[in-house]
Amino acid sequence: MCINFGLSRADFRQQYQEKQPLLIKGAVDPAGFTWGDVNTLFERCNVADDSFKLAYEGIRPKHEYVERYLDIGTLRHRLVKPVVYAYMRKGATLIANKIKHEPKVSAFARAVGEFTGRQVVSSAYAAFGRRSSFRCHWDTRDVFAIQLIGRKRWLVYPPSLESPLHTQQSRDYEDRYPCPSAPCMDIVLEPGDVFYLPRGWWHDPLPLGEGCFHLALGTFPAYAADYLAWSVRQMHDCLAVRRSLDHWTQDQHLMADIGLLVSEFVQAPENYQRFMEQFHAGKRDEAALALEHFGDPAKDLVDEQAGLQLRAHSSYGLEQDYLIHDGKKLVLEPRIADLMRRIAESPGLPVSTWLEQSPVEDKQLLRELLTQFCRQEVLAVSDPAVTM
């Protein structure tokens, strides 16, 4: 499940990221995703969770299409399929959010994560009618829409509120920031197309009366507002921020002092670095279980033909010879850090390639180290020669 983005990471960040939409025709091979995959994906979801939705004239209440029952003493939930079928025949959209541990979806999410350096959350949309899944709205995250089955029309409008945060949903702000009257894009996504849409851009995805399925991969970076909120929490040792407030005439000088303190704090590189490390330390990137590689006591070393990639989507810290791994800072010897940087830049190349190219003379020791990194999930194995 590879994505051919058609441009470099640097060009994307400079020209498109959080700036303007980008349509990439034929970026993926849709042949690897079938209705069987769609059915399996939805069947494995927790249908009782709020992340699973059926949209028809709004979001349908769970009791209409989800049944609760006891299975040998265990409370379970299942789709009432005839109800789901009936709604979809009328034009409903079936939606799954926060998808995890679905190999094909995870492969796409990893490709987007490596391309953007951001955490990714995956959603799926299936429909057969012509109704809009939602009325025209904006998202508070950048989205990569990957059309895999059928076609879908997208009406896109420029933002009326630039770069909204997660607290600024379009349904709550459309009175003050209404959708523009005329779309700036009217496109049809076909199987294999990828469409990048920055947060804040109004859009209305419309099924075309045929079976269609697409993934929406939302990306989540650290925002300046997050840094500012974190900075204020770090300043409780400063007496000024612990003062009580009464009247502006009395407190305006205190506010001026606090403004200077905040300005000085947020502009300190060491504070910015500490915040970013804590932000990345809070992330957990998904890695596939690899029992055959690392659970078998007969295998002491990772296979030389196994492809390697960083488990983390973002290689934050590698330029300074360290990695943030499961909440901890892992300091690397410079030659190993250089190897890890190259693995990050060329994911999927086999172990044998890295053994040949590394300046480390003791290849056995290096292979043992790579094996240990894999067992500790610093690195992940993949099919050899597969790049995203």
Side-chain angles (χ1 to χ4, degrees):
M1 295 289 124
C2 300
I3 302 176
N4 180 7
F5 292 98
L7 74 171
S8 69
R9 295 176 176 91
D11 287 342
F12 172 75
R13 290 170 184 169
Q14 182 178 8
Q15 300 176 36
Y16 294 99
Q17 187 162 275
E18 298 190 359
K19 297 180 179 69
Q20 61 177 322
L22 172 64
L23 174 61
I24 314 170
K25 300 293 291 183
V28 305
D29 180 5
F33 216 102
T34 67
W35 278 113
D37 295 313
V38 175
N39 293 330
T40 299
L41 186 157
F42 282 116
E43 284 183 331
R44 287 202 286 236
C45 289
N46 179 4
V47 297
D49 192 81
D50 288 341
S51 61
F52 191 94
K53 305 175 189 294
L54 182 65
Y56 179 81
E57 297 180 349
I59 302 300
R60 306 312 307 172
K62 290 285 185 183
H63 67 81
E64 289 187 1
Y65 65 97
V66 174
E67 177 189 18
R68 298 172 50 168
Y69 66 100
L70 283 175
D71 180 16
I72 316 179
T74 299
L75 178 63
R76 300 189 187 278
H77 300 81
R78 73 181 184 101
L79 287 180
V80 184
K81 294 185 179 68
V83 175
V84 174
Y85 297 153
Y87 266 118
M88 296 195 76
R89 289 173 67 87
K90 292 190 292 184
T93 298
L94 195 61
I95 305 165
N97 295 311
K98 300 180 181 179
I99 300 168
K100 301 289 284 185
H101 305 298
E102 290 291 340
K104 292 183 178 181
V105 177
S106 296
F108 284 129
R110 177 164 198 94
V112 170
E114 289 178 342
F115 187 66
T116 62
R118 296 180 172 185
Q119 193 169 18
V120 177
V121 173
S122 304
S123 302
Y125 297 79
F128 291 87
R130 292 183 178 273
R131 285 177 171 265
S132 174
S133 300
F134 299 101
R135 58 195 179 94
C136 197
H137 64 286
W138 72 57
D139 290 327
T140 58
R141 59 196 181 278
D142 291 12
V143 171
F144 288 80
I146 304 178
Q147 191 69 30
L148 292 168
I149 299 175
R151 301 174 303 152
K152 206 162 195 176
R153 181 187 180 193
W154 285 65
L155 298 176
V156 180
Y157 306 79
S160 48
L161 175 64
E162 187 176 352
S163 299
L165 296 172
H166 72 279
T167 55
Q168 298 170 312
Q169 302 290 330
S170 57
R171 63 176 178 268
D172 301 321
Y173 281 76
E174 59 186 345
D175 290 341
R176 281 179 284 171
Y177 302 96
C179 179
S181 57
C184 59
M185 298 179 73
D186 183 349
I187 59 175
V188 173
L189 296 191
E190 299 175 313
D193 293 346
V194 172
F195 183 48
Y196 166 74
L197 192 67
R199 59 191 168 112
W201 287 69
W202 292 87
H203 57 285
D204 192 5
L206 299 168
L208 295 173
E210 60 190 58
C212 63
F213 174 82
H214 82 271
L215 297 174
L217 307 183
T219 66
F220 293 81
Y223 295 118
D226 300 324
Y227 180 39
L228 184 59
W230 175 89
S231 298
V232 171
R233 292 194 298 271
Q234 310 309 305
M235 299 179 66
H236 291 176
D237 286 341
C238 299
L239 178 60
V241 304
R242 303 202 304 272
R243 296 291 190 191
S244 58
L245 303 179
D246 191 6
H247 298 288
W248 173 248
T249 53
Q250 171 183 312
D251 297 329
Q252 58 182 314
H253 296 299
L254 175 61
M255 294 300 99
D257 292 341
I258 290 175
L260 291 174
L261 286 172
V262 172
S263 177
E264 180 181 351
F265 188 95
V266 299
Q267 293 185 74
E270 62 273 18
N271 293 330
Y272 177 88
Q273 183 78 2
R274 191 154 57 97
F275 163 74
M276 291 297 287
E277 288 181 359
Q278 289 188 22
F279 174 80
H280 285 277
K283 299 193 304 183
R284 296 294 183 272
D285 292 298
E286 184 178 339
L289 193 64
L291 294 175
E292 74 281 17
H293 288 285
F294 308 116
D296 186 349
K299 295 183 177 180
D300 293 329
L301 298 171
V302 64
D303 192 319
E304 287 198 20
Q305 298 310 309
L308 291 181
Q309 59 190 32
L310 284 185
R311 174 196 168 200
H313 295 172
S314 172
S315 56
Y316 186 83
L318 267 183
E319 292 303 318
Q320 290 78 42
D321 295 349
Y322 71 88
L323 269 176
I324 301 297
H325 172 62
D326 284 351
K328 299 178 182 179
K329 187 174 183 177
L330 180 63
V331 179
L332 302 169
E333 189 267 337
R335 290 180 299 173
I336 300 303
D338 179 68
L339 176 59
M340 300 291 271
R341 282 191 290 269
R342 291 198 283 161
I343 291 174
E345 292 167 0
S346 302
L349 293 181
V351 172
S352 58
T353 297
W354 302 119
L355 293 177
E356 293 171 4
Q357 295 184 3
S358 173
V360 177
E361 295 180 0
D362 191 335
K363 303 302 181 183
Q364 177 71 10
L365 180 62
L366 178 59
R367 190 176 172 192
E368 291 174 359
L369 180 62
L370 292 175
T371 300
Q372 189 63 22
F373 278 157
C374 290
R375 287 176 180 159
Q376 297 301 319
E377 289 198 315
V378 178
L379 293 173
V381 294
S382 65
D383 293 333
V386 173
T387 58
M388 300 295 182

